């Protein structure tokens, strides 16, 4: 048990983010509509940061992350359903 907890806790935030980003890229960037949507969302976040509006940038980032999580969850659930058929 302690070994499991140690191995989980030794994974850095950067490593966790890297895995999530890789999965997200596979999901969002190979669909032309989602690709453009992702570019637009990142551009909005960048503009908010560049203009010094940290609060708005944070709101946009939270919205983006929530959307991506929802899409990944829905995609995973749809694939689970396909495997059962």
């Amino acid at each position: 048990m302690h070994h499991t907890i140690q191995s989980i806790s030794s994974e850095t935030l950067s490593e966790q983010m890297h895995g999530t980003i890789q999965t997200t890229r596979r999901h969002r960037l190979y669909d032309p509509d989602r690709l453009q949507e992702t570019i637009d969302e990142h551009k909005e976040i960048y503009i908010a940061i560049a203009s010094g509006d940290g609060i708005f940038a944070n709101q946009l980032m939270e919205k983006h992350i929530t959307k991506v999580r929802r899409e990944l969850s829905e995609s995973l659930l749809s694939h689970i359903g396909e495997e059962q058929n």
Side-chain angles (χ1 to χ4, degrees), residues 5-78:
I5 292 171
Q6 181 184 10
S7 68
I8 292 170
S9 64
S10 67
E11 184 178 33
T12 66
L13 178 60
S14 176
E15 292 168 333
Q16 292 172 13
M17 287 182 63
H18 179 73
T20 301
I21 289 169
Q22 296 293 39
T23 301
T24 302
R25 283 182 179 161
R26 284 191 297 274
H27 177 72
R28 291 193 114 214
L29 301 185
Y30 294 108
D31 177 329
D33 293 332
R34 283 194 174 129
L35 173 60
Q36 188 57 53
E37 184 177 273
T38 300
I39 291 169
D40 293 344
E41 290 169 2
H42 285 188
K43 186 176 179 181
E44 279 185 295
I45 294 164
Y46 172 80
I47 291 170
I49 292 169
S51 69
D53 193 344
I55 293 172
F56 188 50
N58 186 58
Q59 291 169 343
L60 290 170
M61 193 67 197
E62 286 181 8
K63 181 180 173 184
H64 173 68
I65 290 170
T66 299
K67 180 192 291 187
V68 170
R69 282 183 181 154
R70 187 188 73 243
E71 288 176 3
L72 291 174
S73 295
E74 289 170 357
S75 177
L76 177 63
L77 290 173
S78 71

